Amino acid sequence: QVQLVESGGGLVQAGGSLRLSCAASGRTFSSYRMGWFRQAPGKEREFVASIIWSGSNTVYADSVKGRFTISTDNAKNTVYLQMNSLKPEDTAVYYCACRRLGNSEYDYWGQGTQVTVSS
C-alpha cells in the first residue's frame, strides 16, 4: 500500500522560505513521477511541480518557477519542495502525489500540509 506523508508546512512571512517533505513508502518508486499540488480556499487544486524519482525531468508551474525547487532523496525515500521568496498567494494546502510513468492521472495522494504566508 502506497503511503505519502507530507510535513514541513507552517506560517511564514512574505519573502521567507519553507521546505516541504513527502515521505513515500509502500513500493519502489523508480518508475514513478512525484508531484506537488496545492489548493487554496475557494480555488481548485493546481499543479505546482513534479519530478521523476531518479531526479530528472523537473516541471514547474509558471507561478513558482525560479522560486520553488523539487528534489528527491533516494536514500530517505523522500521528495522535497524547497519554497523561497514566498508570497501571500502561495498560501494553500500542499499535497504530495505520485503516478506511474505512462499514466496520465496521479494515483496516490498524501493528506496535505498547510502553508500560510502572511503579508
Side-chain angles (χ1 to χ4, degrees), residues 70-88:
I70 189 171
S71 62
T72 59
D73 184 330
N74 289 338
K76 296 183 178 180
N77 246 29
T78 299
V79 183
Y80 299 102
L81 185 69
Q82 178 66 44
M83 306 185 295
N84 298 330
S85 302
L86 282 162
K87 305 175 181 180

Side-chain angles (χ1 to χ4, degrees), residues 81-99:
L81 185 69
Q82 178 66 44
M83 306 185 295
N84 298 330
S85 302
L86 282 162
K87 305 175 181 180
E89 51 263 43
D90 294 317
T91 295
V93 177
Y94 283 71
Y95 297 92
C96 176
C98 67
R99 63 173 173 85

Side-chain angles (χ1 to χ4, degrees), residues 2-5 22-27 29 34 53 76-79 96 98:
V2 172
Q3 272 198 315
L4 303 173
V5 181
C22 171
S25 62
R27 63 186 56 182
F29 292 93
M34 310 300 294
W53 188 263
K76 296 183 178 180
N77 246 29
T78 299
V79 183
C96 176
C98 67

Side-chain angles (χ1 to χ4, degrees), residues 103-115:
N103 287 356
S104 58
E105 299 294 325
Y106 281 80
D107 304 296
Y108 300 98
W109 294 82
Q111 82 289 350
T113 186
Q114 176 71 47
V115 171

Side-chain angles (χ1 to χ4, degrees), residues 18-56:
L18 280 176
R19 188 178 77 161
L20 305 183
S21 301
C22 171
S25 62
R27 63 186 56 182
T28 301
F29 292 93
S30 56
S31 299
Y32 280 76
R33 176 172 285 275
M34 310 300 294
W36 284 98
F37 292 76
R38 66 187 182 186
Q39 187 166 21
K43 295 188 176 182
E44 293 189 353
R45 185 171 58 198
E46 65 174 359
F47 169 80
V48 174
S50 70
I51 188 170
I52 293 178
W53 188 263
S54 64
S56 63

